[in-house]
Amino acid sequence: PLRVAASGGHHEVVAALIAAGATVDLVDDDGDPPRLVAAQSGHHEVVAALIAAGANVDKAMNDGRTPLYIAAQKGHHEVVAALIAARANVDLANNDGRTPLRVAALNGHHELVTALLAARATVGQADNDGQTPLLAAAAGGHHEVVAALIAARASVDLAMNGGATP
């Protein structure tokens, strides 16, 4: 019930279930905890309630995606801010080595890239293919993101495994 309520953004139902002793980190077969589905849908009040109830902010799905990764991918600013404030690991990568900063850069989420950099995300952390956040942003043509990453001292010549550079 908690996962379903979290997914729907039903803050008051989530609060009632937490008060009744619902397990905040219970997962489904894919490893999705309630705060991850709330993060994916941008339900920041639900995410905040689950964090306040002691949910593990870094608990990942089976594929390694964390709530911060999902929120950064979807562009949910308030959820990212809540997770950063709760000290989520900004450099925790999924199974492919992709970090929240890389996925935010890939999708052109300038405000999120700035927030992740301010939270000390590693600017040059590459995924398993060697792609850095700067290369992802450059490939997508996201000028503001590229500028922010360069300002944060991203290496402009760091190549992917196949040799491609930004």
Side-chain angles (χ1 to χ4, degrees):
L2 183 60
R3 186 182 180 286
V4 173
S7 176
H10 305 296
H11 180 272
E12 292 175 359
V13 175
V14 168
L17 291 167
I18 290 170
T23 304
V24 295
D25 281 330
L26 197 61
V27 298
D28 66 8
D29 291 344
D30 294 326
D32 296 357
R35 99 208 134 291
L36 193 136
V37 296
Q40 183 171 357
S41 299
H43 301 307
H44 68 280
E45 290 178 335
V46 172
V47 171
L50 292 165
I51 290 169
N56 176 350
V57 294
D58 290 326
K59 187 165 180 64
M61 294 174 54
N62 295 344
D63 65 6
R65 291 181 296 156
T66 63
L68 182 59
Y69 181 99
I70 295 288
Q73 180 181 34
K74 299 288 185 176
H76 298 308
H77 306 283
E78 292 173 316
V79 174
V80 168
L83 291 165
I84 288 172
R87 299 182 177 250
N89 182 341
V90 295
D91 287 328
L92 199 56
N94 72 0
N95 296 351
D96 295 324
R98 296 178 182 131
T99 63
L101 180 60
R102 184 212 170 271
V103 76
L106 175 69
N107 290 306
H109 299 307
H110 178 255
E111 184 178 327
L112 297 181
V113 167
T114 303
L116 290 162
L117 290 171
R120 301 200 171 279
T122 304
V123 71
Q125 187 171 337
D127 66 16
N128 295 351
D129 294 326
Q131 187 177 64
T132 62
L134 180 60
L135 205 145
H142 303 299
H143 177 264
E144 287 182 316
V145 174
V146 167
L149 293 166
I150 290 171
R153 300 185 161 213
S155 173
V156 296
D157 291 324
L158 194 58
M160 286 182 62
N161 297 347
T165 64

